[in-house]
Amino acid sequence: MKAVILAGGKGTRLLPYTKVLPKPMMPIGDKPIVEIIMDQLSSYGFHEIIMAVGHLSNVIRRHFKGKYSNGVRLSYLEEEKPLGTAGCLALLPKPEEETLVMNGDILTSLNYAELMDYHRKKEAALTIAVSSKNVQLEFGIVRVDSNHQVIGYDEKPALPCDVSTGVYVYSPRVWNFLQPHHHLDFPALVKKLLQEGETISAYPYQGYWKDIGTHEEYEAAVQDFEEKKEIFSPQKKLLISHELV
């Protein structure tokens, strides 16, 4: 199985750390978060990992240089200019099988092999792993009837939502909607596929998931990893071969 890790963003919400480290290289425990992700992918049978890099890519390349694996290959896809969270995939040849694509800044206990099986059974163009969250609003919500009478007031309520975890499975036909060197973010791709009548499935995931995009989330992830390390541990150690796409 093949996986693409999106690791090219600037991580502006984590400044000043991301002036010297790309966000996927932020340490969790004794290794960068992206290495934890690769350990997990390897344990679930992903034998080819492509890292889409951009901002401070030399830091990532230097860290992984010279590490080799039993049948697991790491290669790089480097953007000359930012192409968006979906547009960069157009630089890859159209795959023959399903491809897992994910952000490189996620701490999760998601079973990636089960996600791939779910996608195949759904026969969808795209599958999004989703997590149920209560999203805290910053405003007081006024409930009004058809006569503009106030019938209720909720101060900064938490609303239940299914949110994207930043982990996806692409079927090969999605590449028909990608154009090389054209900027395309993932939400725009979703809308494009829906407009064309393609099926997009949601994989419901109730386990641990955290995006380390802010200082608060990063600090929480570091603490959670120390307290719940066993749920993130892969079944085998990953050693990586170093190759350029």
Side-chain angles (χ1 to χ4, degrees), residues 115-175:
L115 171 61
M116 294 290 283
D117 288 341
Y118 178 91
H119 173 81
R120 294 186 184 108
K121 290 174 183 176
K122 290 290 185 179
E123 298 182 346
L126 180 71
T127 295
I128 305 173
V130 300
S131 178
S132 297
K133 298 291 182 183
N134 288 322
V135 178
Q136 186 76 46
L137 300 184
E138 298 180 0
F139 306 100
I141 302 302
V142 181
R143 287 182 277 122
V144 181
D145 66 13
S146 59
N147 293 319
H148 302 288
Q149 297 287 331
V150 175
I151 59 175
Y153 185 95
D154 300 309
E155 179 62 19
K156 298 181 180 178
L159 300 183
C161 300
D162 286 332
V163 302
S164 170
T165 62
V167 185
Y168 324 108
V169 183
Y170 286 55
S171 288
R173 66 183 186 270
V174 175
W175 265 257

Side-chain angles (χ1 to χ4, degrees), residues 6 10 13 16 80-81 90 94-95 97 101 138 142 165-166 168 184 221 227:
L6 304 175
K10 292 185 177 181
R13 292 181 297 163
E80 293 181 2
K81 63 178 182 178
K94 182 179 178 180
E97 297 183 351
V101 179
E138 298 180 0
V142 181
T165 62
Y168 324 108
L184 182 66
E227 295 176 353

Side-chain angles (χ1 to χ4, degrees), residues 38-39 71 82-83 85-86 93 124 127 141 154 164 167 180 184 206 242 244:
M38 290 192 295
D39 286 355
L83 295 173
T85 49
T127 295
I141 302 302
D154 300 309
S164 170
V167 185
L184 182 66
Q206 302 302 324
H242 185 273
L244 177 64

Side-chain angles (χ1 to χ4, degrees), residues 44-193:
Y44 287 119
F46 289 82
H47 300 299
E48 182 177 357
I49 298 173
I50 301 169
M51 202 178 306
V53 296
H55 176 63
L56 297 175
S57 63
N58 60 308
V59 177
I60 296 174
R61 291 173 182 272
R62 188 163 55 244
H63 177 79
F64 290 109
K65 186 176 182 180
K67 296 185 179 180
Y68 298 91
S69 71
N70 295 322
V72 177
R73 183 167 65 97
L74 171 65
S75 56
Y76 297 101
L77 177 66
E78 184 137 16
E79 303 169 87
E80 293 181 2
K81 63 178 182 178
L83 295 173
T85 49
C88 63
L89 300 176
L91 299 178
L92 295 173
K94 182 179 178 180
E96 297 181 359
E97 297 183 351
E98 298 84 1
T99 302
L100 186 139
V101 179
M102 65 179 295
N103 296 340
D105 58 355
I106 298 167
L107 183 65
T108 182
S109 58
L110 175 65
N111 185 318
Y112 299 108
E114 287 184 0
L115 171 61
M116 294 290 283
D117 288 341
Y118 178 91
H119 173 81
R120 294 186 184 108
K121 290 174 183 176
K122 290 290 185 179
E123 298 182 346
L126 180 71
T127 295
I128 305 173
V130 300
S131 178
S132 297
K133 298 291 182 183
N134 288 322
V135 178
Q136 186 76 46
L137 300 184
E138 298 180 0
F139 306 100
I141 302 302
V142 181
R143 287 182 277 122
V144 181
D145 66 13
S146 59
N147 293 319
H148 302 288
Q149 297 287 331
V150 175
I151 59 175
Y153 185 95
D154 300 309
E155 179 62 19
K156 298 181 180 178
L159 300 183
C161 300
D162 286 332
V163 302
S164 170
T165 62
V167 185
Y168 324 108
V169 183
Y170 286 55
S171 288
R173 66 183 186 270
V174 175
W175 265 257
N176 298 332
F177 299 90
L178 304 177
Q179 294 179 279
H181 309 293
H182 282 250
H183 188 280
L184 182 66
D185 281 322
F186 182 76
L189 174 62
V190 170
K191 293 176 183 177
K192 191 173 185 179
L193 291 172

